[in-house]
Every structure is written in structure tokens, then in C-alpha cells.
Amino acid sequence: RSNMIDTDDAKELIRELMIMYLPKAIAFIERNTFGKNVIDSLMKDPIIGDRIYWEYKEIVAQKKIDDVKKTHMVNQKSKVRYYGISTDPKTRPMMVDLLRSIVKNEYKVLKSKYIIDDISGLIRTKTGKIEHSASSHDDSVFAYLILRYAIAYGKNLAYFINKLTDVNISSSEI
């Protein structure tokens, strides 16, 4: 719950939790400025580096082609691994919608005092964004929503489940 923890301490905390207490866990890390640094550092770890959630993202780049007659540009598609979960203007409203559904239909799963406190401190700003008030936090509820978002919309869960268990699950079963 500390928003004052530095990158190295956060990395060590996640590493210790995953090695000592959660040996088959997948790390779903928010891909913001701070999280990107944590992800980059943890990816180098030989024990948990391959347990950081990622998906393939297709990118389109232009490539210069020189031939005998003329030079021209062509679009070239490639896939890159995109580590972590983004909370951006597209995904954040989806996470808030998930929270609405959880509160309405699955409220019994909300057992953490921190998550419940965070929910009770959420406000709608003048711009319509749902976020914490000046006197509250939303870190715990968004940590939970990042996981729920990955479960609802993730495209690579089967890979990690198959990797960490002896069960083969297809992506259509998730």
C-alpha cells in the first residue's frame, strides 16, 4: 500500500513474494512509468523473469524498399512482446466497468479491507473520470482490477497456465 516505495524495493518485494510464497504465480504488473522500470528489472531475474505477464502486440512500421526503378515505402507488420497491463484511457474505463459489475454481482468476493476502503473513497471528477478522492487511495482496488482485467480480456493466459501447471488449457477455455 505504500506509494513511496522505490523501484528496487518494489522489485525485491515482488521477487521475494513470488519465490518464497507464490512459486507458481504470474506477476500482473501495471505498465506505467514506475511499473515499466519494475518489469524491466524483473525480466532480467532468472527465477521469475518468465513469470511476468505479457501479450503479443502487432505493430506496423514502414520499411524503405530500394529497387532498380524507384524507392518506396511499405508497411511491415511484426509482433512484439508487450509486458504488463496498461491502465490508459482505453483500459481504465473497462476496469471501472468491471468494478461496477463486481460490486453489483460478485460483491462477496471483495473481502479485503483495503479494497473496500479504496472503493468507498472513489469519486467521479468533473471530467467524468472515476478516481480516488484527495483523502483516499485507489492502489489496492486497481491492483485487483488489473488482475480482473487480465482475466476478462487477456490474450495470453493459457500460455502461462500451461507453463506453470501440468494441465493443458486452450485459450477458448479461459
Side-chain angles (χ1 to χ4, degrees):
R1 271 186 71 82
S2 171
N3 57 2
M4 303 297 283
I5 192 169
D6 69 21
T7 304
D8 290 334
D9 290 342
K11 180 200 102 165
E12 285 306 312
L13 175 64
I14 293 168
R15 185 177 189 283
E16 185 173 323
L17 283 170
M18 291 183 73
I19 291 171
M20 294 179 67
Y21 302 103
L22 305 164
K24 292 192 174 201
I26 304 164
F28 294 88
I29 301 171
E30 180 180 14
R31 186 182 175 87
N32 58 13
T33 305
F34 179 83
K36 172 94 172 68
N37 292 332
V38 172
I39 290 168
D40 288 346
S41 182
L42 286 172
M43 284 174 43
K44 298 172 190 169
D45 189 292
I47 299 171
I48 63 168
D50 63 346
R51 293 169 44 206
I52 301 167
Y53 184 78
W54 57 268
E55 294 181 357
Y56 281 116
K57 298 282 183 180
E58 190 172 87
I59 59 169
V60 178
Q62 288 197 329
K63 181 178 180 182
K64 184 177 175 181
I65 304 292
D66 291 318
D67 63 23
V68 178
K69 296 178 184 174
K70 64 179 178 176
T71 299
H72 60 282
M73 303 295 277
V74 296
N75 287 338
Q76 184 175 7
K77 293 180 182 179
S78 63
K79 288 184 179 181
V80 295
R81 282 189 182 184
Y82 186 83
Y83 288 83
I85 304 288
S86 287
T87 51
D88 56 34
K90 178 185 172 193
T91 61
R92 189 177 172 101
M94 295 168 75
M95 291 178 188
V96 171
D97 286 344
L98 279 171
L99 179 60
R100 284 188 186 100
S101 176
I102 293 164
V103 169
K104 182 178 179 182
N105 303 312
E106 304 174 53
Y107 59 89
K108 290 182 180 180
V109 303
L110 300 172
K111 297 180 181 190
S112 165
K113 176 187 178 334
Y114 298 127
I115 293 174
I116 293 167
D117 287 348
D118 282 5
I119 292 170
S120 68
L122 293 175
I123 60 167
R124 182 182 303 274
T125 65
K126 290 178 184 176
T127 62
K129 184 178 178 182
I130 304 292
E131 62 182 38
H132 65 86
S133 68
S135 62
S136 64
H137 297 275
D138 63 5
D139 294 340
S140 295
V141 72
F142 271 94
Y144 176 67
L145 289 174
I146 287 167
L147 173 64
R148 291 295 299 256
Y149 175 87
I151 292 169
Y153 301 106
K155 296 176 180 70
N156 202 19
L157 291 174
Y159 166 82
F160 285 95
I161 292 169
N162 291 337
K163 180 178 183 59
L164 298 173
T165 66
D166 294 331
V167 178
N168 238 345
I169 299 173
S170 71
S171 57
S172 63
E173 295 176 284
I174 296 179

